[in-house]
Amino acid sequence: MIGQDTASDIALLKVDVNRPLPVLPLGDSDRLTIAEWVMVIGNPFGLSHSVTIGIVSHTGRADIAPAGREGFYNFIQTDAAINPGNSGGPLINLRGEVVGIATAINSAGQGIGFAIPIDMAKAILAQLRNNGRVVRSWMGMSVQEQSAEQEKPRRGVVVTGVVEKGPAATAGLRVGDVITGFQGHAVRNAG
């Protein structure tokens, strides 16, 4: 093992073999669109070389925590069947490119599976390769969505906590501030 990042559920392994191994090209998960066809390859329930097909149902899904685990999530949601044994398998677009890594399901329903976007994995793997671990930025604050009463004239998220002497405090943020945008992008939810 070169390194692992439990917050994203990604690890980098080195495999020593004396022959070339087949590989798939990595795609661009940022270009995925809702209703785009994808397939998942894996070994569900020990049934090797299984392939399922479906569509991208949602991107940027940060409002779930698989098995209640804390972490940094930005999932691709798909209705391609992901079952126990598919975790770690590729989510592939119609061009044959890996656009995600199958990782979780919603056990309460059918056809609700989640994959780690390959662009997120690429960034994490580069850090694991270079450092053996992932170093993340830290803002030193917590936020939550505005309640219906708070939201009336404003949109965004409310700052609910600021760490003393942390980056947010140094920048002048205070509890009760409303963040409506960041680097030219609207902020609509805490994720």
Side-chain angles (χ1 to χ4, degrees):
M1 180 175 314
I2 303 297
Q4 66 180 349
D5 180 47
T6 54
S8 64
D9 199 22
I10 294 178
L12 177 61
L13 306 175
K14 181 181 179 197
V15 179
D16 290 319
V17 294
N18 53 7
R19 61 181 172 78
L21 296 173
V23 296
L24 290 170
L26 301 182
D28 182 353
S29 55
D30 286 345
R31 294 183 56 208
L32 277 175
T33 59
I34 306 301
E36 183 173 339
W37 287 95
V38 290
M39 64 180 168
V40 175
I41 299 176
N43 299 298
F45 303 107
L47 301 169
S48 62
H49 309 295
S50 293
V51 177
T52 59
I53 193 161
I55 61 167
V56 172
S57 305
H58 196 280
T59 58
R61 180 70 75 195
D63 51 351
I64 63 159
R69 289 190 324 250
E70 291 286 325
F72 299 99
Y73 303 117
N74 181 28
F75 289 119
I76 299 164
Q77 181 181 331
T78 181
D79 67 350
I82 297 175
N83 292 296
N86 280 109
S87 292
L91 179 73
I92 302 172
N93 64 17
L94 291 182
R95 291 178 295 284
E97 301 165 329
V98 178
V99 292
I101 303 168
T103 192
I105 60 171
N106 182 328
S107 59
Q110 292 183 342
I112 305 174
F114 304 98
I116 299 165
I118 203 64
D119 290 341
M120 180 178 163
K122 287 177 192 176
I124 289 168
L125 291 174
Q127 287 198 52
L128 292 176
R129 186 180 308 110
N130 296 332
N131 308 321
R133 63 188 178 91
V134 175
V135 178
R136 290 186 170 81
S137 59
W138 173 63
M139 293 188 289
M141 68 175 194
S142 54
V143 298
Q144 72 180 30
E145 276 118 43
Q146 291 180 292
S147 67
E149 298 81 41
Q150 291 172 316
E151 192 174 315
K152 290 265 159 92
R154 306 179 288 194
R155 287 233 179 265
V157 294
V158 178
V159 176
T160 57
V162 177
V163 176
E164 188 177 329
K165 297 183 183 177
T170 302
L173 287 166
R174 297 183 315 258
V175 171
D177 285 350
V178 177
I179 299 171
T180 59
F182 182 74
Q183 294 185 337
H185 299 281
V187 174
R188 300 196 195 298
N189 59 53

